[in-house]
Amino acid sequence: MGGIFGKAKKDLAAKITEQDKAILQLKQQRDKLKQYQKRVENSLESDRLLAKKCLEKGNKDRARLLLRKKKYQEKLLQNADSQLEAIEKMTSDLEFAVVELDVVNTLKVGNEALKKVNDIMSIDDIERILDETREGVEKQQEIDALISGALTDEDEENILEELDRLVEEEKRDRIEYIDEDIGDQLPEVPQDALPEKEKAKKARKASTEKIALEA
């Protein structure tokens, strides 16, 4: 198991390119800048409220110092915005460059494959195959013409008559097959002697009819 996981890690490491590492680092830096901006924004609001309280208490100098700090942090926040914008643009450009590189590599592989095919199938080979195909078609046409020319009108009539006979035979065979199939499915007539009870019932019926006639 250890060997399998070790090989998987090596394969994964081989697939991670320098461009992938750069993109990852840029995104990590972008996340850090966003976290920094969030902290500065919270600090700005906190300093503003604190400066307001200082003024309420009459501590004007302290309030001025907090506002100066707030202004400085606002400039830092603007710089962070510019840096964040630059990182976002660089990340997008690098990701697009990776896509372009993949496209170029794919085209390169395709061109190499096409070149190999062209080397295997040269123009001379293609022309030879087309000529052979054309000759085969022409030969078949000549054979058809010879066969058609060797048959008279009477021969053609005989062929049609034989075709009609074959069609009729096929119809008769199909009908006979259906009749035989239905005959096999019909139930057989029972050949066994009547049961004793049935015989007694018929004897009583005959006796009743005889008495009625004598009366």
Side-chain angles (χ1 to χ4, degrees):
M1 293 293 291
I4 295 175
F5 287 116
K7 184 177 184 300
K9 289 181 180 179
K10 289 181 179 179
D11 293 339
L12 181 60
K15 292 180 181 179
I16 298 176
T17 63
E18 294 298 325
Q19 293 84 356
D20 295 330
K21 293 180 181 178
I23 292 173
L24 179 60
Q25 291 175 355
L26 285 171
K27 289 183 176 181
Q28 289 175 341
Q29 188 62 38
R30 176 200 62 191
D31 295 338
K32 289 180 180 179
L33 274 174
K34 287 183 177 181
Q35 292 173 0
Y36 170 77
Q37 285 179 320
K38 189 66 176 177
R39 290 197 304 269
V40 171
E41 289 172 354
N42 293 334
S43 178
L44 290 175
E45 182 63 20
S46 177
D47 289 341
R48 189 184 70 82
L49 294 175
L50 187 58
K52 185 177 180 182
K53 289 182 180 180
C54 289
L55 286 176
E56 292 174 355
K57 293 179 180 181
N59 193 348
K60 188 175 181 181
D61 292 337
R62 176 66 176 169
R64 183 187 302 172
L65 181 62
L66 289 171
L67 292 178
R68 290 179 65 186
K69 176 186 174 185
K70 179 176 175 293
K71 177 60 67 175
Y72 176 71
Q73 288 182 329
E74 286 176 351
K75 291 184 177 181
L76 292 179
L77 193 60
Q78 292 177 355
N79 292 336
D81 287 335
S82 300
Q83 292 176 2
L84 186 60
E85 183 179 356
I87 289 175
E88 292 282 5
K89 184 177 184 304
M90 185 175 295
T91 303
S92 298
D93 292 343
L94 188 54
E95 286 178 336
F96 184 71
V98 171
V99 173
E100 282 186 323
L101 182 60
D102 291 339
V103 172
V104 171
N105 289 333
T106 302
L107 291 174
K108 182 179 179 181
V109 172
N111 288 333
E112 290 177 354
L114 184 60
K115 183 179 179 181
K116 291 180 180 179
V117 172
N118 290 333
D119 291 340
I120 296 173
M121 295 293 293
S122 63
I123 298 298
D124 294 337
D125 292 334
I126 296 174
E127 290 180 351
R128 177 179 53 78
I129 293 173
L130 292 176
D131 291 339
E132 291 176 354
T133 304
R134 192 180 302 109
E135 291 175 0
V137 172
E138 292 174 353
K139 185 175 181 180
Q140 185 62 44
Q141 291 175 347
E142 291 178 1
I143 294 173
D144 293 340
L146 289 173
I147 294 175
S148 300
L151 298 177
T152 62
D153 293 340
E154 184 179 357
D155 292 331
E156 293 292 343
E157 291 178 1
N158 292 334
I159 290 172
L160 293 176
E161 290 175 358
E162 185 175 359
L163 180 61
D164 292 337
R165 287 196 300 272
L166 291 175
V167 172
E168 292 298 328
E169 289 179 6
E170 194 274 335
K171 289 181 179 179
R172 286 197 302 272
D173 292 341
R174 187 164 61 250
I175 293 173
E176 291 176 358
Y177 173 76
I178 293 174
D179 291 340
E180 291 177 359
D181 189 47
I182 293 176
D184 293 338
Q185 296 178 5
L186 292 176
E188 297 181 357
V189 178
Q191 302 295 329
D192 298 337
L194 293 173
E196 293 297 330
K197 289 184 179 181
E198 190 67 24
K199 288 182 179 180
K201 184 178 179 181
K202 287 189 175 184
R204 286 197 301 271
K205 183 178 180 182
S207 177
T208 302
E209 291 176 353
K210 182 178 181 182
I211 293 172
L213 289 174
E214 290 177 353

